[in-house]
Amino acid sequence: MITFGFRNKFGGWLRAITAIVLGIIMVSKPETSLIIVVKVLAAFLIASGIVSLVYGIINRQRGALSLMVTNAVVDIALGVVLFIFPKEIASFMLILIGILVLIFGISQIAVLISASRVVSSSFAVYILPSLCIIGGIVLLIRPFDSISALVLLAGIAVLVYGVSEFIATWKMNRAMKATEVRQEKSSGMDDIDNVKDVDYEKVEEGE
């Protein structure tokens, strides 16, 4: 059974909640939300670089300084670039969001088809991932000149993906649980058959 990213029972829920929250933020403030996200990412990279540098200095006797300095320089440099060019990076992030939403939509359809072999599913569950695919394609085509309009569209696509991921996670968890129950029953029947075979062999030896 196909289980892209669903083996961890909490991973799907976390992706769904994160996407829903991010989608709501982008839809509510399309003019500034993506730039804020870029700046938050920049701050995170700079903080990560500083932590790496401090860790390397503390553990320099173990030979960690050179590696940590390299990581720190890369993280801090990327963070500074994001801070200096937030609009340009935000425009690139729209393309990245389009690619990710497109890939996630396709993978969700594959997962739902796989789950439908174990638990029943209606055609309606494929609507949201199909919308994700359409949204991803539109973001890549970029039919609007306005960044705000593109951010709004990206926010809607991410929000739809989050809801779709929530449904897909629920369906996949049910399918995996049903599969586990069937495997346990099958294993139990095999054990019973083995016991019967052993008993039969003992009777023959007694004779």
Side-chain angles (χ1 to χ4, degrees):
M1 184 171 63
I2 298 174
T3 57
F4 297 126
F6 290 91
R7 275 300 175 187
N8 184 341
K9 294 184 178 180
F10 298 102
W13 301 120
L14 181 60
R15 290 193 299 272
I17 293 172
T18 302
I20 290 172
V21 172
L22 181 60
I24 291 173
I25 293 173
M26 293 174 69
V27 170
S28 60
K29 293 184 177 180
E31 302 85 3
T32 58
S33 59
L34 200 57
I35 293 178
I36 292 174
V37 170
V38 172
K39 289 184 177 179
V40 169
L41 179 60
F44 174 79
L45 287 172
I46 292 174
S48 176
I50 294 172
V51 170
S52 296
L53 183 60
V54 172
Y55 179 85
I57 294 172
I58 294 174
N59 296 275
R60 60 183 179 275
Q61 294 181 348
R62 299 179 183 176
L65 182 59
S66 59
L67 177 61
M68 291 297 103
V69 166
T70 302
N71 291 340
V73 170
V74 172
D75 288 344
I76 292 174
L78 286 175
V80 170
V81 170
L82 292 181
F83 261 124
I84 296 175
F85 305 104
K87 291 184 179 180
E88 290 77 6
I89 300 298
S91 180
F92 171 75
M93 283 187 67
L94 286 173
I95 298 175
L96 181 61
I97 289 172
I99 294 172
L100 290 176
V101 170
L102 177 61
I103 293 173
F104 288 154
I106 294 172
S107 65
Q108 278 185 2
I109 289 179
V111 164
L112 288 170
I113 292 174
S114 179
S116 66
R117 299 171 184 170
V118 182
V119 294
S120 60
S121 300
S122 66
F123 179 76
V125 298
Y126 299 100
I127 295 176
L128 291 180
S130 298
L131 291 176
C132 289
I133 294 173
I134 294 171
I137 293 173
V138 172
L139 283 172
L140 293 177
I141 296 174
R142 298 171 70 88
F144 309 114
D145 294 330
S146 171
I147 292 294
S148 296
L150 286 170
V151 174
L152 179 61
L153 176 61
I156 294 172
V158 171
L159 186 58
V160 170
Y161 159 70
V163 176
S164 179
E165 182 75 10
F166 193 91
I167 296 171
T169 301
W170 176 67
K171 296 289 291 185
M172 183 52 64
N173 285 345
R174 284 185 60 198
M176 288 192 293
K177 186 177 292 185
T179 302
E180 290 172 0
V181 169
R182 291 181 183 179
Q183 289 175 347
E184 289 176 359
K185 288 183 178 179
S186 176
S187 177
M189 292 300 295
D190 290 341
D191 292 340
I192 292 174
D193 291 339
N194 291 335
V195 170
K196 287 182 178 180
D197 291 341
V198 170
D199 289 342
Y200 181 72
E201 290 174 2
K202 286 183 178 179
V203 171
E204 285 187 340
E205 289 175 0
E207 294 176 356

